[in-house]
Amino acid sequence: FEAAAGRVQRAVEVYRQALAVPTQQLDRYLGELEALVAAHPLAQLVGGAEEARLRAEAAGAGDSPREPEEAHLKRRLLAACRVQHARSAARAAVVGPFEERIQCRHFDWAAPAQEQLDNWHDYLSAVAAEGAAGSGAAAARPVFERCVTVCAHYPEFWLRYAAWAEAALGLQEAKQVLARAAGLAPCRASPELHLYRAQCLERSGDVAGARRSLQLILGDVAPGLLQATVALANLERRQGDLGQAKKVYLDALSGGGPGRAPDPALAVQYATFLWKALGDLQGARAAVCAALERAPGALQLWQTRVWIESTQGSDGVHVERTLEVYEEALAGPGSKWGDPAEGLSHADR
């Protein structure tokens, strides 16, 4: 269109832009550009500034061509275009198979088929590896953007985009990606997305924002989620507010209601916090024992009791206390737990 309208210089620019895109038409574009260059004088192909640059480069390279100067400068012009063609062709060989398998290139309320989701995952892995190998983020970012357009309702793609953006572009870019995802209803229901966002916010100095993200999980998205509870408690601990960190654990432990056994993993985390952060060894022992009263069959709790006692001192008393815990855990009928079915399973014993 540009060439037919007599705008030859503009046509050259369009061909250059086309050669920068990894498509299956690169050879055709290069051939058409070569024909265009052959058919017009240099002054019609490039502007005055670029013509001067080509002359300066030729002089700086010490060229002594055996052809007319204009033909030589055209050859230099096309040489740069051929370099771009080769670069784009190499990338087309990488991305071409993935592009061919894409059936929908825009957002659709209908869920993509699993094969399409798998193709996007593989495509992102390929462009991320290509960028890590040295081609940079400029080529990878458009693919991530296209992916989260088509797969906007899939948090895992936003998480991959944010992780890539943090590594390739920096923390601020990752925060922007996560903020966009958090504005979409399906992604707002993803605890993993809010957990990652909280990490990024805290590392960027926005402690209040990180706290809100974690509280959103515990209050709405996934109440009682262990990872969010531990993350919030550790956030408060890092801020120096050990009392608030302890309150986070106590609120979580009481969240199951009266008579309901707490998550053994949560009890272990709480006991570890009491022991390591507060230096409250007796409190840690009491927390584990209280949890065992309600969940005597939890192997993790028994292992924690063994761990606590086996690390206390070197005078032999800790050995006796550790053996007592083992004997209590391995006790059969007639133990303090009564029916052996209430204690450890046969396999755990």
Side-chain angles (χ1 to χ4, degrees):
F1 173 80
E2 297 289 355
R7 295 187 288 269
V8 179
Q9 185 176 329
R10 177 59 183 157
V12 172
E13 287 302 316
V14 172
Y15 276 122
R16 282 170 159 174
Q17 293 173 22
L19 288 173
V21 180
T23 68
Q24 302 301 314
Q25 304 299 319
L26 290 169
D27 291 343
R28 178 170 70 86
Y29 294 151
L30 181 60
E32 292 175 358
L33 176 59
E34 290 172 340
L36 186 68
V37 170
H40 294 83
L42 184 65
Q44 294 182 11
L45 297 170
V46 297
E50 184 168 4
E51 183 176 351
R53 179 182 60 78
L54 288 170
R55 293 182 188 279
E57 288 177 354
D63 290 353
S64 54
R66 300 177 181 178
E67 58 188 345
E69 182 185 33
E70 174 148 325
H72 180 65
L73 294 179
K74 283 185 177 182
R75 190 182 302 277
R76 291 187 69 90
L77 172 65
L78 286 175
C81 295
R82 292 190 181 103
V83 170
Q84 181 60 65
H85 169 275
R87 187 181 300 119
S88 296
R91 188 156 195 276
V94 174
V95 305
F98 303 108
E99 291 286 350
E100 291 174 1
R101 289 194 289 268
I102 297 175
Q103 296 177 357
C104 180
R105 300 177 184 273
H106 56 82
F107 174 76
D108 194 318
W109 286 104
Q114 185 60 48
E115 293 79 5
Q116 290 293 293
L117 299 177
D118 292 341
N119 183 60
W120 277 114
H121 274 300
D122 294 340
Y123 197 176
L124 295 184
S125 296
V127 297
E130 185 187 24
S135 64
R141 184 164 198 169
V143 178
F144 277 95
E145 283 289 342
R146 290 170 56 205
C147 174
V148 295
T149 297
V150 176
C151 309
H153 287 174
Y154 290 81
E156 62 264 32
F157 291 107
W158 287 100
L159 286 167
R160 289 196 64 172
Y161 187 8
W164 172 84
E166 181 180 359
L169 305 173
L171 185 59
Q172 288 301 119
E173 293 290 340
K175 285 171 55 183
Q176 293 178 12
V177 171
L178 292 167
R180 289 166 57 194
L184 301 172
C187 294
R188 281 198 299 272
S190 168
E192 293 79 10
L193 191 140
H194 294 293
L195 283 168
Y196 187 18
R197 191 181 185 197
Q199 294 172 18
C200 291
L201 289 169
E202 184 184 2
R203 283 189 280 123
S204 68
D206 186 359
V207 175
R211 184 181 291 112
R212 285 193 299 271
S213 290
L214 295 172
Q215 290 172 341
L216 178 64
I217 299 174
L218 295 173
D220 182 32
V221 175
L225 183 68
L226 176 64
Q227 296 95 318
T229 299
V230 175
L232 182 56
N234 284 334
L235 172 68
E236 303 298 356
R237 176 182 57 80
R238 286 190 291 270
Q239 298 309 306
D241 193 343
L242 297 180
Q244 183 60 31
K246 182 176 181 179
K247 183 177 183 300
V248 171
Y249 280 118
L250 292 175
D251 289 346
L253 288 166
S254 63
R260 181 176 176 180
D263 179 359
L266 176 60
V268 168
Q269 290 288 341
Y270 177 51
T272 304
F273 167 77
L274 291 174
W275 179 19
K276 298 295 186 179
L278 298 185
D280 184 2
L281 176 60
Q282 295 305 321
R285 284 172 170 152
V288 177
C289 290
L292 276 170
E293 290 286 347
R294 300 171 71 179
L299 177 62
Q300 189 176 12
L301 293 173
W302 288 109
Q303 290 173 326
T304 302
R305 279 194 67 189
V306 168
W307 171 50
I308 291 174
E309 300 303 342
S310 65
T311 57
Q312 301 309 308
S314 57
D315 56 2
V317 176
H318 71 293
V319 176
E320 296 179 8
R321 294 183 67 99
T322 303
L323 290 174
E324 289 175 1
V325 174
Y326 273 118
E327 291 170 359
E328 189 176 342
L330 297 171
S335 71
K336 66 177 290 185
W337 309 116
D339 187 344
E342 295 181 2
L344 290 172
S345 67
H346 178 73
D348 287 342
R349 283 195 178 90

